[in-house]
Amino acid sequence: MAEEKFLRWQVGDVRITRVAELGGAPFPSTFMFPAATTELVQRHAWLRPHFAHADGRLFGSIHSFVIESGKRRIIVDTCVGNDKPRAIKAWNLLQGPFLADLALAGFPAETVDTVLCTHLHVDHVGWNTRLVNGKWMPTFPKARYLFGRKEWEHWASEAAKHNDGDVMGDSVKPILDAGLAELVDMDHTLTPEVRLEPTPGHTPGHVSVRISSRGEHAVITGDLMHHPLQCAEPDLANNFDVDAAAARRTRREFLARYSNRPVLILGTHFAPPTGGWLVDAERAWRFALTPPANAGEP
Ligand SMILES: [Zn+2]
């Protein structure tokens, strides 16, 4: 289990490390996808054993990726966080060792220079802040926090409501108040090796993260997909998609764009081994743990 906490990938000169907060236990498929019956999950045998239990329940994960590019240390998505009142029982007032694990992986919080949230949902912004003497303080005091401008505008509007606690109040606004936030475009370039790709639908300003170095390539999905099952069933909507139709369109475009290519796909909620490749399969796609044999251009 310890080594699964720190899966690492080398992409050219860039190193990517996965630090997990929650995962391990299987959960009912309908928690994530209302239309995913046991039979539907069991139909896709390649999901077992890593991504689905034989009984049809699914495995998932909540983790961060730390990207080391040049001298930069970029943490992508910050999980659920500790001490936060949340509606989902497993996430409520969490007391987990995430920060200690992050340090153990080689990244004490004060050494992180950039925080990037693919979107502003509850399980992607939690460790932006931590509770210090009753106040929500930035966890990464020396970092610039990058939020999508469009994403911020959506969640800051009157109409949009998080249905799981005061996510903006405890995990986003304190960063703006501390002057550490930077609102960026959906195709923002972070370093010569790391840039954002717009993948809207799950949320209006949702982005994925593209990494390219020395002819090697990877992409961090964010929540455009929540589970490898959606490679085979790309129309399967998630309970938390803001615009399910746009999310489907984005997912199909992404699957078509990256299938049979030498591009490592790192799933933001994919259980270990978390990284793999997209390959064409009957009527749709599949998530493979080895690169496609006759991959085209990246
Ligand atoms: Zn998520």
Side-chain angles (χ1 to χ4, degrees), residues 72-84:
R72 301 279 298 276
R73 290 178 155 201
I74 304 159
I75 186 167
V76 178
D77 289 332
T78 60
C79 306
V80 173
N82 278 3
D83 299 303
K84 301 199 161 165

Side-chain angles (χ1 to χ4, degrees), residues 34-56:
T37 60
T38 299
E39 294 69 37
L40 183 91
V41 174
Q42 288 176 332
R43 197 178 299 158
H44 303 291
W46 59 268
L47 290 172
R48 302 190 290 269
H50 300 294
F51 308 116
H53 191 280
D55 67 10

Side-chain angles (χ1 to χ4, degrees), residues 88-248:
I88 292 177
K89 221 205 249 163
W91 299 354
N92 187 41
L93 303 174
L94 200 63
Q95 294 296 322
F98 179 81
L99 272 194
D101 286 343
L102 191 66
L104 208 60
F107 312 108
E110 63 276 10
T111 67
V112 171
D113 59 73
T114 308
V115 178
L116 170 73
C117 298
T118 59
H119 61 299
L120 299 181
H121 268 164
V122 54
D123 52 326
H124 297 260
V125 299
W127 278 107
N128 285 357
T129 59
R130 60 189 176 127
L131 199 55
V132 181
N133 299 327
K135 274 189 73 180
W136 295 111
M137 303 295 287
T139 304
F140 305 98
K142 295 186 178 150
R144 303 292 297 168
Y145 285 67
L146 310 186
F147 304 132
R149 179 177 293 111
K150 193 165 180 189
E151 184 73 4
W152 157 253
E153 283 167 0
H154 171 75
W155 293 112
S157 78
E158 282 293 308
K161 279 270 179 292
H162 277 97
N163 53 7
D164 198 349
D166 187 14
V167 175
M168 293 298 277
D170 61 37
S171 300
V172 180
K173 289 215 180 83
I175 303 305
L176 280 100
D177 294 344
L180 300 182
E182 210 170 296
L183 300 179
V184 299
D185 291 332
M186 290 170 77
D187 58 357
H188 181 73
T189 298
L190 285 82
T191 80
E193 297 162 318
V194 182
R195 64 183 164 80
L196 304 183
E197 277 189 354
T199 44
H202 177 61
T203 61
H206 184 278
V207 295
S208 302
V209 185
R210 185 75 141 85
I211 298 125
S212 300
S213 175
R214 292 183 181 270
E216 296 187 358
H217 303 270
V219 57
I220 294 172
T221 58
D223 283 6
L224 78 95
M225 281 191 286
H226 287 76
H227 191 279
L229 173 62
Q230 285 171 296
C231 301
E233 304 285 347
D235 294 332
L236 209 51
N238 177 271
N239 276 330
F240 312 102
D241 289 341
V242 171
D243 180 342
R248 281 192 187 101

